[in-house]
Amino acid sequence: MFRTKRSGLVRRLWRSRAPVEGDGETDRGTHGSGGCCMGKATKVAKSNAGSEAELKALTHSVLKKIKEKQLEVLLQAVESKGGVRSPCLLLPSKVDAKVGQQSYSLPMLLYKVFRWPDLRHSSELKRLSCCESYGKVNPELVCCNPHHMSRHTQKHASINSPLTHYLFFLLPSDSPGSGPSSSDTGGTTYSAPVGLSDSLALQDSERGYWCVVAYWEEKTRVGRLYSVQEPSLDIFYDLPQGNGFCLGQLCSDNKSQLVQMVRSKIGYGIQLTREPDGVWVYNRSCYPIFIKSATLDNPDSRTLLVHKVFPGFSIKAFDYDKANSLQRPNDHEFTQQPRTGFTVQISFVKGWGQCYTRQFISSCPCWLEVIFNTR
């Protein structure tokens, strides 16, 4: 029987759907070096055979109505797990699909099938800034690219960590290291911190850079400060396509097996995005990340919380309005802090705090210090 290209694309898409617990594919992609998989927060019980067959028939029916070029865009996003920057998939927003007694809009159906099987409501989602329709309202068409979306992190899943300062001092590097050289490898541009020394990087942060990033392995900083001027920055170990701060290009003398293991799990890493309401962190990797920020918690609290962010989830890690309210001019502690402003700490894979064997982030194998310029 003659099979069309469209039918082949649809079959490949269905094979690349998000796994659900119990279908033998739950861990698919969770141990690779890249991609954004479901993680602990999105595993759901496998549906019965009837609803699975119904979902398959409905998905095939919907996909076969989409243009071939749009199917290719969707396949590119799904098979690369968001590692390849794909364009928007603009489809009618008011088309509903029904599985059993449950009705879903067309975007919700695609998000559930290809990203989050346990997704219940669109209020759980946040559109990423890479989406061309970000911030735009179009009642007729909406972007249905599953990898142009993330999920909101629920901040109640947190761990206490002692609060000694609202800011974390930028420690001197144990070894100066070297920044990644600018090169083009495998379609990815690895941007260097333009050879800035630490002092120049901090000065430049006051001349237009909205933050600087330091990468640490345990107590040793690796490489120089990375100054950020673009609205969005990808920080990753390896990535099929895209620009950003490639940690895999940094020269590290750390021989610890744990550090090497965690480095290999950073994969697609994270995305930092400066938006009107603050700075968002999107976890693009296959493993949780952990974040501590003064603006994520009650300003009167004596402890800061370390927030766990699952793969595919976003969190507003820094709020400019809250940060300004924390800058108390009569508070000696605040007047002695670095001029660059507040710092957020992010660790990959391994957490720290009272519920972990690691009490301090300096004991984490791989972590970041993001220093925001609030001036």
Side-chain angles (χ1 to χ4, degrees):
M1 178 180 178
F2 178 74
R3 293 179 176 178
T4 64
K5 179 181 178 181
R6 181 190 300 274
S7 297
L9 292 171
V10 170
R11 286 195 303 275
R12 286 177 61 186
L13 279 165
W14 180 252
R15 288 196 297 267
S16 301
R17 70 193 185 280
V20 295
E21 190 171 17
D23 67 358
E25 302 179 356
T26 303
D27 295 328
R28 179 180 58 191
T30 60
H31 301 293
S33 61
C36 177
C37 57
M38 301 308 103
K40 178 181 177 182
T42 56
K43 292 181 181 178
V44 294
K46 183 180 179 182
S47 56
N48 60 52
S51 60
E52 175 75 2
E54 187 177 2
L55 177 63
K56 180 178 180 179
L58 175 61
T59 303
H60 276 65
S61 174
V62 168
L63 293 177
K64 287 179 179 179
K65 297 177 182 178
I66 299 176
K67 297 178 181 178
E68 283 188 9
K69 288 186 177 181
Q70 292 178 314
L71 288 176
E72 290 173 349
V73 167
L74 180 58
L75 185 64
Q76 181 186 52
V78 169
E79 288 191 336
S80 72
K81 297 181 173 66
V84 175
R85 290 294 178 92
S86 51
C88 289
L89 178 64
L90 296 176
L91 297 173
S93 60
K94 296 182 179 180
V95 175
D96 289 334
K98 193 171 184 179
V99 180
Q101 300 299 315
Q102 188 70 42
S103 293
Y104 302 102
S105 65
L106 178 56
M108 282 288 289
L109 176 67
L110 296 183
Y111 300 153
K112 284 178 66 67
V113 170
F114 296 110
R115 288 298 299 277
W116 304 287
D118 67 333
L119 185 64
R120 296 179 182 276
H121 196 271
S122 60
S123 61
E124 302 174 40
L125 298 171
K126 179 187 184 301
R127 191 168 298 280
L128 298 172
S129 61
C130 64
C131 183
E132 294 179 3
S133 62
Y134 178 81
K136 299 178 181 178
V137 178
N138 187 332
E140 302 299 327
L141 298 175
V142 65
C143 177
C144 297
N145 188 327
H147 288 277
H148 282 193
M149 304 296 292
S150 67
R151 291 181 76 175
H152 282 290
T153 294
Q154 298 298 320
K155 292 196 293 184
H156 61 264
S158 308
I159 297 92
N160 287 329
S161 178
L163 171 61
T164 55
H165 297 284
Y166 277 99
L167 304 186
F168 186 84
F169 283 105
L170 181 69
L171 301 176
S173 174
D174 293 344
S175 62
S178 59
S181 60
S182 296
S183 61
D184 191 286
T185 305
T188 301
T189 301
Y190 299 134
S191 304
V194 295
L196 295 175
S197 68
D198 290 356
S199 59
L200 286 176
L202 292 173
Q203 291 174 16
D204 279 345
S205 69
E206 297 180 356
R207 294 200 296 263
Y209 289 88
W210 59 272
C211 77
V212 291
V213 180
Y215 169 62
W216 294 75
E217 291 176 356
E218 297 172 329
K219 296 180 180 179
T220 301
R221 204 182 81 215
V222 181
R224 295 179 175 177
L225 295 180
Y226 189 104
S227 300
V228 184
Q229 194 168 19
E230 296 298 322
S232 181
L233 171 69
D234 290 331
I235 303 174
F236 52 90
Y237 189 82
D238 51 18
L239 187 66
Q241 291 182 12
N243 301 326
F245 187 10
C246 178
L247 304 180
Q249 291 286 299
L250 296 177
C251 296
S252 171
D253 296 328
N254 197 313
K255 304 301 182 182
S256 164
Q257 290 185 352
L258 181 59
V259 169
Q260 296 303 317
M261 181 271 290
V262 172
R263 276 169 63 96
S264 69
K265 291 183 176 181
I266 293 173
Y268 294 179
I270 65 171
Q271 184 178 88
L272 290 176
T273 305
R274 183 180 61 174
E275 303 187 21
D277 61 340
V279 177
W280 287 80
V281 175
Y282 169 45
N283 184 2
R284 305 181 69 190
S285 77
C286 289
Y287 298 87
I289 60 172
F290 300 82
I291 297 181
K292 185 167 77 170
S293 168
T295 66
L296 277 172
D297 300 299
N298 188 331
D300 297 325
S301 173
R302 297 301 301 170
T303 61
L304 289 184
L305 299 177
V306 178
H307 297 263
K308 188 174 186 178
V309 182
F310 286 101
F313 282 66
S314 290
I315 190 170
K316 186 164 71 171
F318 189 72
D319 187 301
Y320 286 105
D321 291 337
K322 289 184 178 179
N324 290 331
S325 68
L326 290 173
Q327 292 183 10
R328 304 169 227 176
N330 297 324
D331 190 322
H332 177 74
E333 179 183 341
F334 279 81
T335 60
Q336 298 303 309
Q337 301 304 329
R339 293 185 63 197
T340 47
F342 288 87
T343 297
V344 168
Q345 302 161 14
I346 304 171
S347 68
F348 295 101
V349 184
K350 302 295 184 180
W352 78 98
Q354 294 178 354
C355 294
Y356 293 89
T357 56
R358 299 168 186 83
Q359 294 299 300
F360 306 101
I361 193 171
S362 57
S363 299
C364 291
C366 302
W367 56 282
L368 300 170
E369 199 171 23
V370 186
I371 310 159
F372 295 103
N373 178 17
T374 59
R375 298 181 185 276

